[in-house]
Amino acid sequence: MMTGFRLNLSPLKEPLGFVKLVEWLTAIFAFGSCGGFSGTNVVSLFCGGGMNETLNASFHYPFRLSQVPLIDGNVTICNHSVTTTHLMGDSSSAAEFFVGIGVVCFLYSMVALLVYLGYMHVYKDSDFGPIFDFIITAVLAFLWLVCSSAWAKGLQNVKDATDTDGISGTLALCKGTNVTCEVTDFANMRTLNISVVFGYLNMFIWAGNAWFVYKETRWHSQKFSSQPGPGRQQVPAPI
């Protein structure tokens, strides 16, 4: 039961509501393009003498690469015995932090839109609502900066660990032997690159929205009410 609910779509025509709708959409693109990723790099091993073998380096969100087996079990490759080998690195903390902030912003945007469209009369009649909204919006804008920077670094670590140099450094077979290792087919990481872009885009959108939310607070109204009106001059006291 929604006591006091009054549906009013006019806030969507104003920056306060429209930007919140944009935040809801960009949050979906941000965490969706990161959290749903799965890819495989194909590693070609040139053994010499015309022999070639391939390995699949499969990885996915949350990118705990150290738990992803490149070689599972003791096998013989290029006439060399190779034990179980995992990829190197772990970017799960950065990826999960990024996705977590995206989900929080997605949920908060939905709640805020519900308030704007149904309870705007309560929102504007209280000091608590706009001030709380402003503080949360400013904090989330800062968290977008932090998590996007962390995920950008984590994504670069994933790329480094799954490229030719990273695989060659992981496989002992590729060190000091006549075996040449090369990644010949790369996973398409376009969506991961897009997720970083949307992360920083969200930061700018939330930072900009903080201004529109601030205008609804009493801090803004008190600031302008305390300023003298145009053309007002102090009348000197009679002598």
Side-chain angles (χ1 to χ4, degrees), residues 9-230:
L9 299 180
S10 60
L12 290 178
K13 302 176 183 178
E14 302 173 0
L16 182 67
F18 178 76
V19 175
K20 192 64 69 178
L21 179 61
V22 173
E23 289 172 345
W24 180 75
L25 292 172
T26 53
I28 294 176
F29 285 115
F31 72 77
S33 56
C34 175
F37 178 83
S38 179
T40 301
N41 283 5
V42 177
V43 184
S44 296
L45 287 77
F46 303 99
C47 307
M51 282 182 54
N52 296 328
E53 297 196 32
T54 60
L55 297 173
N56 292 328
S58 300
F59 52 97
H60 53 80
Y61 175 85
F63 307 103
R64 292 188 178 93
L65 300 182
S66 58
Q67 299 180 8
V68 176
L70 181 59
I71 297 176
D72 195 3
N74 298 328
V75 296
T76 300
I77 301 177
C78 296
N79 298 323
H80 291 79
S81 179
V82 183
T83 58
T84 300
T85 305
H86 294 80
L87 296 174
M88 296 182 64
D90 188 344
S91 297
S92 60
S93 58
E96 290 174 338
F97 181 34
F98 181 83
V99 170
I101 295 299
V103 172
V104 168
C105 290
F106 166 75
L107 296 175
Y108 182 75
S109 297
M110 284 200 304
V111 173
L113 282 172
L114 176 63
V115 173
Y116 294 166
L117 300 182
Y119 297 94
M120 183 57 80
H121 57 289
V122 178
Y123 179 87
K124 289 193 173 184
D125 288 344
S126 66
D127 290 336
F128 174 77
I131 291 176
F132 177 82
D133 194 14
F134 170 71
I135 293 174
I136 296 299
T137 301
V139 169
L140 290 176
F142 173 74
L143 289 178
W144 271 119
L145 171 63
V146 176
C147 74
S148 298
S149 300
W151 172 228
K153 180 63 170 64
L155 176 56
Q156 187 58 51
N157 292 340
V158 171
K159 292 179 179 179
D160 292 341
T162 56
D163 66 6
T164 297
D165 291 338
I167 297 295
S168 297
T170 301
L171 271 175
L173 181 67
C174 305
K175 306 174 185 176
T177 65
N178 61 344
V179 179
T180 301
C181 303
E182 181 181 351
V183 177
T184 53
D185 190 7
F186 288 88
N188 188 348
M189 296 190 184
R190 185 178 305 163
T191 56
L192 297 182
N193 295 329
I194 291 174
S195 69
V196 174
V197 173
F198 270 103
Y200 285 111
L201 178 62
N202 271 286
M203 179 200 69
F204 287 112
I205 294 175
W206 281 81
N209 191 35
W211 165 249
F212 297 110
V213 179
Y214 171 73
K215 291 175 66 177
E216 300 295 329
T217 65
R218 58 182 172 84
W219 300 329
H220 182 266
S221 59
Q222 288 174 354
K223 176 182 177 182
F224 279 85
S225 63
S226 63
Q227 294 179 355

